[in-house]
Amino acid sequence: MFTTRPTLQGTFGMVSSTHWLASQSAMAVLEDGGNAYDAAVAGAFVLHVVEPHLNGPAGEVPILLAPAGGEVRVLCGQGVAPAGASVAHYKELGLDLVPGTGPLAAAVPGAFDAWMLLLRDHGTKPLAEVLRYATGYAEDGHAPVDNVGATVETVRELFETEWTSSAEIYLPGGQPPRPGELFRNPALAATWKRLLAEVDAAGDRVAQIEAAREIWRAGFIGEALVRQARRPTMDTSGERHTGTLTAGDLAGWSATYEAPATYDWKGWTLCKAGPWSQGPALLQQLALLPAELPAYGSADYVHLLIEGCKLAMADREAWYGDAAEVPLDELLTVAYNAGRRALIGDKASYELRPGSPGGRAPRLCAHAHVVATDDPGSSPLGAGEPTVAKGPASPVPGEPEVAADGTTRGDTCHLDVVDRWGNMVAATPSGGWLQSNPVVPELGFPLGTRLQMTWLEEGLPNSLTPGRRPRTTLTPSIALRDGLPVMAFGTPGGDQQDQWQLHFFLAVALRPAVRGSLDLQGAIDAPNWHNDSFPGSFYPRGMRPGSVTVEARTDTEVVEELRRRGHDVTVADAWSEGRLCAVARDPETGILSAAANPRGMQGYAVGR
């Protein structure tokens, strides 16, 4: 079977990420004797440098880890809403939605602390050794991918007139980062060098990591983050606001470990973060499948998955969040999903239909039914990551949107690693991107905007609530086979993440192996699709009922049959849907494998 690249195979270590420099930096750590967790931390900090339009240190990250011989765990790097971030406060400011940009959208930054905990508890390398790759690229420069400069151009006016600290880094001499020229972030390099200098005398490896965590919370980094949050900042509302983040918020929060949400399907067990993420939506999509599936790739197959996704995402909207108890067990039961499956007919549904687990009545935010128009100048759809800041004169208050060809203007990052001992990690770093907030001038990176995913309506599972996490779209995966970890995978893509991951997983599970191993690359390369028939998670939170976007490589007979069934089908570019990364390990042979997404021309897998 033809694929764009081979599925890599080896026995020493495998890395797959959304940028080749992150993949190779992580592999360098493995070559230097580090384990999967050391490698993941090194690769993640490189992603902050080389994909600054997609993630940053003050963003967030859910991490799934499967230690060799141990239990799968979730490391939650999603910060909570600050103590002052109440619905009442935002309503007093005249807001009906949390702005898509600016300090009012900033949760307590979570990514840095999560990576530090992973390194402390599961890694072996000193902090200086894993940070040296990112520091080097920030100080000495790297050749940026096209999308960095293209993203900066979309916010040029805002940077030059309002967010001038961002212009200093991303528009030096009035020019955005350009391919073929080295781009540097000296402020970020100086931050990591100062951090390492200050922790040097703290003691051993663990003591230095703990000292770094304290500097993030209360030292020069924490102080600068709080100062930035208090600066009046232009946001997507068209007004200048100050944020609510305080020193107490930073000091009172830590990344935490928790058990994964799981679902068993035909000998596989899928592990996801809990319903503070959208991860269980993938599990419910599996639960909605009938015992016998239609032929892979057929119109019946695609229709079934689209309609199941709509039901799972409707339940996400009604029931997922961190501000109320989530009836997750009931949402994943056989009986509940049999009833939900009965709603799937031969025709496309244009309704948002949450269920009633355990007889509970579903409740949706009043804004959840806002429908996007076809006019891109007024479209309220936010179908992907990240939200791009625009000046108030812009006809598009928030980005990204799905363009006519189905592409989005933003994504996030992903990273998977498996080492020779069998340790496995999947992580989806995001937030704190260059177009989310102004760069903190003392640090070289901005605050995040994850609070935009909460509702400014009381009493919902995803209501903005002090001390509670916004429901995130970030959703890495680990799959077990007969109880043993065999695959780590994930993708950028906001609300599309658990659509594309389901399609990938089923392609792996339903298609023949290649050279005795899972066909990771073939599953990534297979024609993909998504739908937007539910409220988007990003400002300004619209939906397109009945919409389906498919790649041009999709069989024309399948496309026509979907249209006959009432789906509003957009045929996008041939290679436009999905950004998947994956690594795997065969427990019987010890053979490792990896693959990466060819779309976007920057994701790579490496290994030996």
Side-chain angles (χ1 to χ4, degrees), residues 175-318:
Q175 296 297 323
R178 289 184 287 194
E181 298 181 7
L182 289 178
F183 175 72
R184 298 174 175 86
N185 187 339
L188 179 58
T191 295
W192 298 145
K193 291 171 76 173
R194 180 177 174 184
L195 175 74
L196 292 172
E198 290 194 11
V199 305
D200 186 58
D204 62 12
R205 189 186 77 89
V206 170
Q208 289 185 358
I209 294 169
E210 284 300 306
R213 296 178 71 206
E214 187 59 25
I215 290 170
W216 181 270
R217 292 191 182 100
F220 79 93
I221 295 179
E223 292 170 355
L225 292 172
V226 172
R227 280 195 301 272
Q228 183 64 45
R230 306 309 298 177
R231 291 186 177 114
T233 300
M234 179 67 72
D235 60 37
T236 51
S237 73
E239 298 181 5
R240 296 179 184 87
H241 291 114
T242 57
T244 60
L245 183 70
T246 67
D249 295 318
L250 282 174
W253 184 85
S254 171
T256 53
Y257 293 98
E258 57 190 55
T262 63
Y263 187 78
D264 296 331
W265 184 83
K266 297 183 182 297
W268 294 83
T269 300
L270 270 291
C271 301
K272 302 290 283 186
W276 53 267
S277 76
Q278 71 173 357
L282 186 148
L283 307 183
Q284 190 175 356
Q285 287 176 87
L286 285 173
L288 284 162
L289 296 176
E292 297 297 326
L293 293 177
Y296 175 84
S298 66
D300 286 341
Y301 177 85
V302 177
H303 173 78
L304 175 68
L305 267 58
I306 292 168
E307 295 304 299
C309 175
K310 292 175 185 177
L311 295 172
M313 289 304 209
D315 278 344
R316 182 194 77 167
E317 286 309 306

Side-chain angles (χ1 to χ4, degrees), residues 51 79 150 352 370 373 492:
E51 294 191 318
L352 188 65
V370 170
T373 70

Side-chain angles (χ1 to χ4, degrees), residues 376 381 383 399-409 544 549 570-572:
L381 181 66
E399 296 279 6
E401 64 190 68
V402 175
D405 65 357
T407 60
T408 60
R409 303 196 184 190
R544 283 197 171 98
T549 303
T570 296
V571 178

Side-chain angles (χ1 to χ4, degrees), residues 54-102:
L54 307 178
N55 79 136
E60 45 274 321
V61 59
I63 305 170
L64 266 64
L65 56 148
E71 297 291 324
V72 175
R73 300 290 287 170
V74 176
L75 178 49
C76 174
Q78 174 57 63
V80 299
S86 66
V87 169
H89 174 64
Y90 288 61
K91 289 290 190 180
E92 288 169 2
L93 296 173
L95 298 170
D96 293 320
L97 290 173
V98 177
T101 60

Side-chain angles (χ1 to χ4, degrees), residues 338-406:
R340 300 286 279 154
R341 190 184 310 119
L343 297 175
I344 299 176
D346 291 334
K347 295 291 187 179
S349 170
Y350 279 59
E351 299 178 68
L352 188 65
R353 300 180 289 179
S356 301
R360 302 169 179 85
R363 181 182 161 203
L364 295 168
C365 177
H367 191 87
H369 294 282
V370 170
V371 176
T373 70
D374 291 330
D375 177 4
S378 61
S379 170
L381 181 66
E385 297 189 46
T387 293
V388 177
K390 289 264 185 160
S394 169
V396 184
E399 296 279 6
E401 64 190 68
V402 175
D405 65 357

